[in-house]
Amino acid sequence: MNLKRIFGALLTALGVGALIYAAVVFTNTSGSNQDIKSLIIYGILGLIFFSSGISLVRTTKDES
């Protein structure tokens, strides 16, 4: 059981969730400042979590 791979998978799942939520906010937006701010925040956080999780899973070697 590799802790780095589990943490990478968790970060990836959080990133996907944030990107999906950003897409939902984008489809339901009315153009107010609050909608645009939340769209930008969740989109950027989703991209950061997703990319860091994927890179953590890819660079961790399987040692048993």
Side-chain angles (χ1 to χ4, degrees):
M1 186 164 110
N2 200 341
L3 192 61
K4 284 185 182 179
R5 280 196 182 256
I6 293 172
F7 188 63
L10 181 68
L11 280 176
T12 304
L14 283 173
V16 168
L19 288 173
I20 289 173
Y21 186 70
V24 169
V25 169
F26 179 73
T27 58
N28 294 330
T29 187
S30 62
S32 68
N33 283 340
Q34 184 69 24
D35 291 337
I36 294 171
K37 285 180 185 178
S38 64
L39 176 67
I40 291 171
I41 289 170
Y42 286 118
I44 289 174
L45 284 177
L47 285 174
I48 290 172
F49 283 178
F50 183 74
S51 63
S52 64
I54 291 293
S55 68
L56 190 62
V57 169
R58 287 181 61 198
T59 58
T60 304
K61 292 183 174 58
D62 243 354
E63 296 174 1
S64 39

